[in-house]
């Protein structure tokens, strides 16, 4: 069930992510990020940011990430019902 829900939810949310986000996204990896960074260096850019969100979900306000937030972004009621 979790995989089925993820397959439906992912395309809805993925298109809202930054184009510079590479972690845990399909068809993107650390190798793609490094390749993009090399391109930026070749273009003369000299500053890069590395942001690690590994602890984000340990500290995020889970009350904010409830079904109301999901409902604002999704119209598939069966998914919300399956999360109950």
């Amino acid at each position: 069930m979790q995989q089925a829900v993820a397959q439906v939810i992912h395309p809805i949310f993925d298109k809202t992510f930054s184009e510079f986000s590479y972690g845990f996204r399909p068809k993107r990896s650390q190798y793609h990020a490094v390749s993009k960074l090399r391109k930026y260096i070749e273009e003369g850019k000299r500053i890069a940011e590395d942001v690690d969100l590994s602890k984000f979900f340990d500290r995020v306000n889970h009350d904010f990430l409830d079904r109301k937030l999901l409902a604002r972004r999704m119209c598939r009621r069966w998914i919300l019902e399956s999360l109950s």
Side-chain angles (χ1 to χ4, degrees):
M1 183 61 149
Q2 182 180 6
Q3 183 61 32
V5 170
Q7 287 177 352
V8 173
I9 289 177
H10 181 75
I12 294 168
F13 286 91
D14 191 65
K15 62 186 172 190
T16 66
F17 294 161
S18 168
E19 68 177 281
F20 304 106
S21 173
Y22 288 88
F24 303 101
R25 294 181 66 194
K27 300 180 184 175
R28 290 181 174 228
S29 69
Q30 67 271 27
Y31 303 109
H32 294 105
V34 169
S35 176
K36 190 68 145 179
L37 180 60
R38 285 185 177 149
K39 181 180 175 188
Y40 287 144
I41 290 169
E42 290 170 5
E43 293 173 356
K45 296 184 171 102
R46 298 288 174 236
I47 298 174
E49 291 286 333
D50 177 24
V51 179
D52 184 0
L53 298 175
S54 62
K55 297 292 182 187
F56 171 76
F57 288 101
D58 293 340
R59 292 179 281 207
V60 71
N61 181 346
H62 288 277
D63 292 333
F64 180 74
L65 295 176
D66 68 1
R67 288 189 281 148
K68 290 179 188 175
L69 179 62
L70 285 173
R72 286 186 214 146
R73 305 290 287 284
M74 301 172 52
C75 61
R76 292 175 174 90
R77 190 170 212 52
W78 70 266
I79 293 175
L80 298 175
E81 291 169 357
S82 72
L83 298 173
S84 299

